[in-house]
Amino acid sequence: MKEEFTLSIFSENHVGLLNQITNVFTRRNLNIESLTTSESAIAGIHKFTIVVFSTREEIEKVAKQIEKKIDVIKAFVLTADEIIHQEIALYKVPTKALLDGNQIEGLVRQYGARILEVTPEYTVIEKTGHKAETQELFEKMDKYGVVQFTRSGRIAITKSKAELLDNYLRKMELDRQNVN
Amino acid sequence: METQFQTMMKEKSKEAIRMTGAEALVRSLLMEGTEIIFGYPGGAIMPVYDALYSFQNDVHHVLVRHEQGAVHAAQGYARVTGKVGVAIVTSGPGATNAVTGIADAMIDSTPLVVISGQVGSLLLGTDAFQETDVVGITQPVTKWNIQVKKAEDIPGAIARAFYIARSGRPGPVLIDITKDAQFANLDFAYEPIKYIRSYKPVPVVDTQQIEAAAQLINLSKKPLALVGQGVILGGAEKELTEFLEKTGIPAAWTLLGLSALPTDHPLNVGMLGMHGNYGPNIKTNEADLIIAIGMRFDDRVTGNLSTYATNAKVIHLEIDDAEINKNVHADVPVLGNVKDSLPMLTEKVTANTHDEWLEQFRACYRIEYDRIINKELYPIKTGLTMGEVIHRISSAFKDDAIMVTDVGQHQMMASRYFRFRQTRSVVTSGGLGTMGFGLPAAMGAKLGAPERPVCLFVGDGGFQMTIQELGTIFQTKIPVKIVLLNNNFLGMVRQWQELFFDSRYSFTELINPDFQTIAKGYFIESQKVTTREEIDDAIIKMVNHNGPYLLEVVVEKEGNVFPMVPSGASVSDIRLE
Ligand SMILES: Cc1ncc(C[n+]2csc(CCOP(=O)(O)OP(=O)(O)O)c2C)c(N)n1
């Protein structure tokens, strides 16, 4: 059965790693739903968060094939109930639409969105949340004319108390000392 | 063992010496023990070639005729020696020509370091002359690759490359070096690498898994061991034999596992897979336990996975975690180098014999012998068969030559009928099935094992894919024995057309040149044989000839390789005709 998985991948910060990682998905003809990447909490270590629909069996294989890349430190496979995740969405509406009635303002309040910038021509509204929520707000607000809408990929943190990677890095450090 | 160069460098003070990136590259290769380089020069690698000119006494550079040949030769060298093969090519077309060999090494886990020249760093990304994105192109077919743009990064990159190529599950590594980095100066000091934070080449064997595996083995009535190249790569031949002899478990081998166990070992029950032996294939589905030792359940071995090893529990001894459960579910995965895990297992299992079970394999062999082997090795028809030629040649070499093959019918026939006494005696393209592999790989094998005879079996199709390497063989005086099994067909494809496409021989017949004239053109001694009467004398002449030799044997046009598990079929549906 296919379900949604979030992969949390930690790697060294090297040129070309994104390509190496996405290649594993491409080879298996797996579509990436969302992908974000930036430096992790640990200096010098990069983090990729990838959302994908797949089977448990396949995603485990994918994770191992990603981890096999020399510069990848660790790939964690997480299901929805193991993580807290968010996406951010930005909406641009004509300021005129905002002033013409209080519907947009009502939506902003109702959805816990916030207004980022107002100019005479346009207003930018921001909402963070799950994709379904940001999508819903888009559909409601679009009745009043959304001129631009953009949504980020997912970022996620795990519910477990310990940071998965911290433990792993500590173990690696021990391994290194054993080598030398 | 240390090379002279390594000793000399150690004696010198550890002080850094000022030199060009190109010289540092060559010195780094020497520090890693490189004795031989296969290469081909060009604009973007010229500084390195200039440096090589000064090191001709320290390292043997073999000038090939095509970069694909350089990589295959490095593979042949690596496969017989267990050392890292080294190839050097120029940018652009030089590098793209090398890609087939790199991909071949990747899928067959062969340790290589390939150096490619690159345009100057200021030209990168501008579609400069002979610029290609080699790092991008080779990324999916290398274990690791990197572009180096600064001279001072060269020694570190080489150290990393060798460590990655040879450690854990070996593989090819590519270093792309811009021309300006080759020209620029640096302070050279060399430090080999033993550790990379994000890379864990050899997992520590979990003793609990050993316990669990031993328990399954002790309970099993019909166990079957599958021997893969992991045994050879891990240098675990002795450990394998001890395990098998204590447990009495019959052992079958994959194409790349061939020669890990001597042919005449009583527990050796033959080859697995599409053109493997009848017993090991059919018995896979009767076995109650499969012990996979350093093999990866390739589809050419398993056939249809849903009907594979249906009655068996599976123990998988494997160094690469990504192979566990990839194709076949492992009830007991044992991660680690089989050199470590096998003796641990041997210690835990109870001594046993499986005479009755083994006898069943012998019974299968007798069936296969009557229906196939006998006819192939001792034919009564006029045309020469590949099998009889290979069989006779094996004997002429006292069953102790290194066998190199190209890809096709002759490859399967050679794997079935050539016999072996010692390990690392087989060089063949397994995973990629690269026609054209054979001739250059044989050169590398011979240079890697000069004291052993190296015998190449090649088809008339594959021979013409890298035939230009006859030039290298002549120039470098590499005494390989080339056996051209000429059926004037792309034999293996023709066989499939006969069996699965109604004998519609679509573009598989070859009208060939006169290979004798070609050999003559390259000043290589040769002979052509068409009848059974001539064959033995010709073989003796080849074996005794001091130097390279081409023996062309015209074999029957439409011979087939059997048994055969048709692609996608179950191993139990193996066809004897
Ligand atoms: C580079 C490459 N191209 C095509 C193939 C497909 N192929 C596999 S076997 C074969 C025929 C080989 O013919 P030949 O070299 O004459 O050997 P034979 O099978 O007759 O022994 C072909 C075309 C291949 N394996 N490699």
Side-chain angles (χ1 to χ4, degrees), chain B residues 347-383:
Chain B
E347 201 193 306
K348 292 281 173 212
V349 290
T350 39
N352 204 348
T353 50
H354 290 280
D355 293 339
E356 223 170 285
W357 172 233
L358 202 57
E359 177 49 35
Q360 293 185 33
F361 284 88
R362 294 203 190 102
C364 286
Y365 184 78
R366 286 192 292 272
I367 296 173
E368 185 180 341
Y369 191 88
D370 287 344
R371 306 263 303 264
I372 296 166
I373 301 172
N374 189 34
K375 291 180 201 158
E376 185 65 36
L377 300 190
Y378 310 101
I380 36 180
K381 53 190 167 187
T382 356

Short mmCIF file of all heavy atoms in Angstrom, two decimals, chain B residues 347-383:
data_model
loop_
_atom_site.label_atom_id
_atom_site.label_comp_id
_atom_site.label_asym_id
_atom_site.label_seq_id
_atom_site.Cartn_x
_atom_site.Cartn_y
_atom_site.Cartn_z
N GLU B 347 32.30 -21.41 13.42
CA GLU B 347 32.51 -21.79 14.81
C GLU B 347 31.22 -22.24 15.48
O GLU B 347 31.20 -23.16 16.29
CB GLU B 347 33.11 -20.59 15.55
CG GLU B 347 33.82 -20.98 16.82
CD GLU B 347 34.11 -19.74 17.66
OE1 GLU B 347 34.73 -18.81 17.12
OE2 GLU B 347 33.70 -19.73 18.84
N LYS B 348 30.12 -21.59 15.11
CA LYS B 348 28.85 -21.85 15.80
C LYS B 348 28.06 -23.03 15.25
O LYS B 348 27.19 -23.56 15.93
CB LYS B 348 27.94 -20.60 15.69
CG LYS B 348 28.43 -19.41 16.47
CD LYS B 348 28.09 -19.55 17.95
CE LYS B 348 28.75 -18.43 18.73
NZ LYS B 348 29.12 -18.81 20.08
N VAL B 349 28.32 -23.44 14.02
CA VAL B 349 27.50 -24.51 13.45
C VAL B 349 28.04 -25.88 13.86
O VAL B 349 29.23 -26.03 14.15
CB VAL B 349 27.47 -24.44 11.90
CG1 VAL B 349 26.67 -23.24 11.45
CG2 VAL B 349 28.86 -24.43 11.31
N THR B 350 27.14 -26.85 13.89
CA THR B 350 27.58 -28.20 14.21
C THR B 350 28.05 -28.88 12.93
O THR B 350 27.48 -28.67 11.85
CB THR B 350 26.44 -29.03 14.84
OG1 THR B 350 25.22 -28.69 14.17
CG2 THR B 350 26.29 -28.73 16.30
N ALA B 351 29.08 -29.71 13.09
CA ALA B 351 29.59 -30.43 11.93
C ALA B 351 28.49 -31.34 11.40
O ALA B 351 27.71 -31.91 12.15
CB ALA B 351 30.81 -31.24 12.32
N ASN B 352 28.45 -31.46 10.08
CA ASN B 352 27.33 -32.18 9.48
C ASN B 352 27.74 -32.69 8.10
O ASN B 352 28.78 -32.30 7.56
CB ASN B 352 26.14 -31.20 9.36
CG ASN B 352 24.81 -31.93 9.31
OD1 ASN B 352 24.77 -33.14 9.15
ND2 ASN B 352 23.74 -31.17 9.45
N THR B 353 26.89 -33.56 7.56
CA THR B 353 27.04 -33.94 6.16
C THR B 353 25.64 -33.96 5.57
O THR B 353 24.66 -34.04 6.30
CB THR B 353 27.64 -35.36 5.99
OG1 THR B 353 26.89 -36.24 6.82
CG2 THR B 353 29.09 -35.40 6.38
N HIS B 354 25.57 -33.83 4.27
CA HIS B 354 24.25 -33.85 3.61
C HIS B 354 24.34 -34.76 2.40
O HIS B 354 24.01 -34.36 1.28
CB HIS B 354 23.85 -32.43 3.20
CG HIS B 354 23.52 -31.54 4.36
ND1 HIS B 354 22.31 -31.59 5.00
CD2 HIS B 354 24.24 -30.61 5.00
CE1 HIS B 354 22.29 -30.70 5.98
NE2 HIS B 354 23.47 -30.10 6.02
N ASP B 355 24.78 -36.00 2.66
CA ASP B 355 25.09 -36.90 1.55
C ASP B 355 23.91 -37.13 0.61
O ASP B 355 24.05 -37.11 -0.60
CB ASP B 355 25.58 -38.24 2.10
CG ASP B 355 26.93 -38.06 2.78
OD1 ASP B 355 27.61 -37.05 2.46
OD2 ASP B 355 27.29 -38.88 3.64
N GLU B 356 22.75 -37.34 1.21
CA GLU B 356 21.59 -37.66 0.39
C GLU B 356 21.20 -36.47 -0.49
O GLU B 356 20.91 -36.61 -1.67
CB GLU B 356 20.42 -37.97 1.32
CG GLU B 356 19.61 -39.17 0.90
CD GLU B 356 18.65 -39.51 2.02
OE1 GLU B 356 19.11 -40.07 3.05
OE2 GLU B 356 17.47 -39.15 1.89
N TRP B 357 21.22 -35.33 0.14
CA TRP B 357 20.90 -34.07 -0.55
C TRP B 357 21.92 -33.79 -1.64
O TRP B 357 21.57 -33.43 -2.77
CB TRP B 357 20.84 -32.96 0.51
CG TRP B 357 20.72 -31.52 0.11
CD1 TRP B 357 21.53 -30.51 0.51
CD2 TRP B 357 19.70 -30.90 -0.72
NE1 TRP B 357 21.10 -29.31 0.00
CE2 TRP B 357 19.98 -29.52 -0.77
CE3 TRP B 357 18.60 -31.38 -1.42
CZ2 TRP B 357 19.19 -28.61 -1.47
CZ3 TRP B 357 17.82 -30.47 -2.14
CH2 TRP B 357 18.12 -29.12 -2.15
N LEU B 358 23.19 -34.02 -1.34
CA LEU B 358 24.25 -33.82 -2.31
C LEU B 358 24.09 -34.79 -3.48
O LEU B 358 24.33 -34.44 -4.64
CB LEU B 358 25.60 -34.03 -1.62
CG LEU B 358 26.83 -33.40 -2.24
CD1 LEU B 358 26.69 -31.90 -2.40
CD2 LEU B 358 28.06 -33.71 -1.39
N GLU B 359 23.67 -36.00 -3.15
CA GLU B 359 23.46 -37.01 -4.18
C GLU B 359 22.39 -36.55 -5.19
O GLU B 359 22.48 -36.83 -6.38
CB GLU B 359 23.10 -38.35 -3.53
CG GLU B 359 22.78 -39.48 -4.49
CD GLU B 359 23.81 -39.68 -5.61
OE1 GLU B 359 25.02 -39.47 -5.36
OE2 GLU B 359 23.39 -40.00 -6.75
N GLN B 360 21.42 -35.82 -4.68
CA GLN B 360 20.38 -35.31 -5.59
C GLN B 360 20.98 -34.34 -6.62
O GLN B 360 20.54 -34.30 -7.77
CB GLN B 360 19.29 -34.59 -4.80
CG GLN B 360 18.48 -35.54 -3.91
CD GLN B 360 17.33 -34.80 -3.22
OE1 GLN B 360 16.76 -33.88 -3.77
NE2 GLN B 360 17.01 -35.23 -2.02
N PHE B 361 21.97 -33.57 -6.19
CA PHE B 361 22.63 -32.67 -7.15
C PHE B 361 23.39 -33.50 -8.19
O PHE B 361 23.43 -33.16 -9.37
CB PHE B 361 23.60 -31.72 -6.43
CG PHE B 361 22.90 -30.60 -5.71
CD1 PHE B 361 22.45 -30.75 -4.41
CD2 PHE B 361 22.66 -29.39 -6.36
CE1 PHE B 361 21.80 -29.73 -3.75
CE2 PHE B 361 22.00 -28.36 -5.70
CZ PHE B 361 21.57 -28.52 -4.39
N ARG B 362 24.01 -34.58 -7.70
CA ARG B 362 24.78 -35.42 -8.64
C ARG B 362 23.83 -36.07 -9.66
O ARG B 362 24.16 -36.19 -10.83
CB ARG B 362 25.56 -36.49 -7.87
CG ARG B 362 26.63 -35.87 -7.00
CD ARG B 362 27.74 -36.84 -6.67
NE ARG B 362 28.58 -36.26 -5.64
CZ ARG B 362 28.54 -36.58 -4.35
NH1 ARG B 362 27.74 -37.55 -3.92
NH2 ARG B 362 29.32 -35.97 -3.47
N ALA B 363 22.66 -36.44 -9.17
CA ALA B 363 21.68 -37.04 -10.08
C ALA B 363 21.26 -36.00 -11.14
O ALA B 363 21.15 -36.33 -12.33
CB ALA B 363 20.46 -37.52 -9.29
N CYS B 364 21.08 -34.79 -10.70
CA CYS B 364 20.74 -33.72 -11.66
C CYS B 364 21.87 -33.54 -12.66
O CYS B 364 21.64 -33.31 -13.85
CB CYS B 364 20.51 -32.39 -10.93
SG CYS B 364 18.96 -32.32 -10.06
N TYR B 365 23.10 -33.61 -12.16
CA TYR B 365 24.24 -33.43 -13.05
C TYR B 365 24.25 -34.53 -14.11
O TYR B 365 24.54 -34.27 -15.28
CB TYR B 365 25.55 -33.42 -12.26
CG TYR B 365 26.73 -33.14 -13.15
CD1 TYR B 365 27.01 -31.84 -13.56
CD2 TYR B 365 27.54 -34.18 -13.62
CE1 TYR B 365 28.07 -31.58 -14.42
CE2 TYR B 365 28.60 -33.93 -14.47
CZ TYR B 365 28.87 -32.63 -14.87
OH TYR B 365 29.91 -32.36 -15.72
N ARG B 366 23.92 -35.76 -13.68
CA ARG B 366 23.93 -36.86 -14.65
C ARG B 366 22.89 -36.60 -15.76
O ARG B 366 23.15 -36.85 -16.93
CB ARG B 366 23.68 -38.19 -13.95
CG ARG B 366 24.90 -38.68 -13.16
CD ARG B 366 24.76 -40.12 -12.70
NE ARG B 366 23.73 -40.29 -11.69
CZ ARG B 366 23.94 -40.15 -10.37
NH1 ARG B 366 25.16 -39.87 -9.92
NH2 ARG B 366 22.96 -40.32 -9.52
N ILE B 367 21.74 -36.08 -15.36
CA ILE B 367 20.72 -35.75 -16.37
C ILE B 367 21.26 -34.69 -17.32
O ILE B 367 21.20 -34.81 -18.54
CB ILE B 367 19.43 -35.23 -15.68
CG1 ILE B 367 18.81 -36.33 -14.83
CG2 ILE B 367 18.44 -34.69 -16.71
CD1 ILE B 367 17.64 -35.88 -13.98
N GLU B 368 21.85 -33.65 -16.73
CA GLU B 368 22.38 -32.56 -17.55
C GLU B 368 23.52 -33.07 -18.43
O GLU B 368 23.66 -32.67 -19.58
CB GLU B 368 22.87 -31.42 -16.64
CG GLU B 368 23.34 -30.20 -17.42
CD GLU B 368 23.82 -29.06 -16.52
OE1 GLU B 368 23.48 -29.03 -15.32
OE2 GLU B 368 24.54 -28.18 -17.05
N TYR B 369 24.31 -33.98 -17.88
CA TYR B 369 25.43 -34.52 -18.65
C TYR B 369 24.92 -35.26 -19.88
O TYR B 369 25.38 -35.05 -21.00
CB TYR B 369 26.27 -35.45 -17.77
CG TYR B 369 27.57 -35.82 -18.44
CD1 TYR B 369 28.70 -35.02 -18.29
CD2 TYR B 369 27.66 -36.94 -19.26
CE1 TYR B 369 29.88 -35.32 -18.93
CE2 TYR B 369 28.84 -37.26 -19.91
CZ TYR B 369 29.95 -36.45 -19.75
OH TYR B 369 31.11 -36.74 -20.41
N ASP B 370 23.94 -36.12 -19.66
CA ASP B 370 23.42 -36.91 -20.77
C ASP B 370 22.73 -36.05 -21.82
O ASP B 370 22.90 -36.25 -23.02
CB ASP B 370 22.39 -37.94 -20.25
CG ASP B 370 23.09 -39.06 -19.50
OD1 ASP B 370 24.32 -39.18 -19.65
OD2 ASP B 370 22.40 -39.79 -18.75
N ARG B 371 21.95 -35.09 -21.35
CA ARG B 371 21.13 -34.33 -22.29
C ARG B 371 21.92 -33.19 -22.94
O ARG B 371 21.61 -32.79 -24.05
CB ARG B 371 19.91 -33.75 -21.56
CG ARG B 371 19.07 -34.78 -20.81
CD ARG B 371 17.86 -35.27 -21.60
NE ARG B 371 16.97 -34.21 -22.03
CZ ARG B 371 15.87 -33.84 -21.37
NH1 ARG B 371 15.56 -34.42 -20.22
NH2 ARG B 371 15.08 -32.92 -21.86
N ILE B 372 22.90 -32.65 -22.25
CA ILE B 372 23.56 -31.45 -22.77
C ILE B 372 25.09 -31.56 -22.82
O ILE B 372 25.70 -31.43 -23.89
CB ILE B 372 23.18 -30.22 -21.91
CG1 ILE B 372 21.68 -29.95 -22.03
CG2 ILE B 372 23.96 -28.98 -22.36
CD1 ILE B 372 21.15 -29.02 -20.99
N ILE B 373 25.69 -31.78 -21.67
CA ILE B 373 27.15 -31.63 -21.56
C ILE B 373 27.89 -32.59 -22.50
O ILE B 373 28.80 -32.19 -23.24
CB ILE B 373 27.60 -31.81 -20.10
CG1 ILE B 373 26.91 -30.77 -19.22
CG2 ILE B 373 29.12 -31.72 -19.98
CD1 ILE B 373 27.11 -30.95 -17.72
N ASN B 374 27.47 -33.85 -22.49
CA ASN B 374 28.14 -34.85 -23.31
C ASN B 374 28.13 -34.45 -24.79
O ASN B 374 29.14 -34.53 -25.49
CB ASN B 374 27.45 -36.20 -23.11
CG ASN B 374 28.24 -37.32 -23.76
OD1 ASN B 374 29.46 -37.28 -23.79
ND2 ASN B 374 27.53 -38.30 -24.30
N LYS B 375 26.97 -33.98 -25.25
CA LYS B 375 26.85 -33.59 -26.66
C LYS B 375 27.69 -32.35 -26.98
O LYS B 375 28.17 -32.18 -28.09
CB LYS B 375 25.39 -33.27 -27.00
CG LYS B 375 24.50 -34.49 -26.99
CD LYS B 375 23.07 -34.08 -27.32
CE LYS B 375 22.09 -35.14 -26.83
NZ LYS B 375 20.74 -34.61 -26.64
N GLU B 376 27.82 -31.49 -25.98
CA GLU B 376 28.56 -30.25 -26.19
C GLU B 376 30.07 -30.52 -26.19
O GLU B 376 30.81 -29.96 -27.00
CB GLU B 376 28.18 -29.24 -25.11
CG GLU B 376 28.78 -27.86 -25.27
CD GLU B 376 28.31 -27.09 -26.50
OE1 GLU B 376 27.12 -27.21 -26.89
OE2 GLU B 376 29.14 -26.36 -27.08
N LEU B 377 30.51 -31.40 -25.30
CA LEU B 377 31.95 -31.62 -25.15
C LEU B 377 32.49 -32.70 -26.10
O LEU B 377 33.65 -32.66 -26.49
CB LEU B 377 32.30 -31.99 -23.71
CG LEU B 377 31.94 -30.97 -22.63
CD1 LEU B 377 32.56 -31.36 -21.30
CD2 LEU B 377 32.39 -29.56 -23.02
N TYR B 378 31.64 -33.67 -26.44
CA TYR B 378 32.09 -34.76 -27.31
C TYR B 378 31.10 -34.93 -28.46
O TYR B 378 30.46 -35.98 -28.58
CB TYR B 378 32.23 -36.06 -26.51
CG TYR B 378 33.03 -35.86 -25.23
CD1 TYR B 378 32.38 -35.74 -23.99
CD2 TYR B 378 34.42 -35.77 -25.27
CE1 TYR B 378 33.12 -35.54 -22.83
CE2 TYR B 378 35.16 -35.55 -24.11
CZ TYR B 378 34.50 -35.44 -22.89
OH TYR B 378 35.22 -35.23 -21.74
N PRO B 379 30.95 -33.94 -29.29
CA PRO B 379 29.91 -34.00 -30.32
C PRO B 379 30.27 -35.01 -31.40
O PRO B 379 31.45 -35.27 -31.66
CB PRO B 379 29.90 -32.57 -30.88
CG PRO B 379 31.23 -32.01 -30.56
CD PRO B 379 31.73 -32.69 -29.34
N ILE B 380 29.24 -35.53 -32.02
CA ILE B 380 29.50 -36.43 -33.14
C ILE B 380 29.20 -35.74 -34.47
O ILE B 380 29.56 -36.21 -35.52
CB ILE B 380 28.70 -37.76 -32.99
CG1 ILE B 380 27.35 -37.48 -32.36
CG2 ILE B 380 29.50 -38.79 -32.21
CD1 ILE B 380 26.49 -38.70 -32.16
N LYS B 381 28.53 -34.57 -34.38
CA LYS B 381 28.27 -33.84 -35.63
C LYS B 381 29.57 -33.23 -36.16
O LYS B 381 30.59 -33.21 -35.47
CB LYS B 381 27.23 -32.75 -35.37
CG LYS B 381 27.56 -31.84 -34.20
CD LYS B 381 26.38 -30.93 -33.84
CE LYS B 381 26.63 -30.27 -32.49
NZ LYS B 381 25.51 -29.52 -31.97
N THR B 382 29.54 -32.72 -37.39
CA THR B 382 30.74 -32.19 -38.01
C THR B 382 31.21 -30.88 -37.38
O THR B 382 32.38 -30.72 -37.10
CB THR B 382 30.52 -31.93 -39.53
OG1 THR B 382 29.23 -32.38 -39.86
CG2 THR B 382 31.59 -32.56 -40.36
N GLY B 383 30.29 -29.96 -37.20
CA GLY B 383 30.71 -28.63 -36.76
C GLY B 383 31.32 -28.66 -35.37
O GLY B 383 30.91 -29.43 -34.51
#
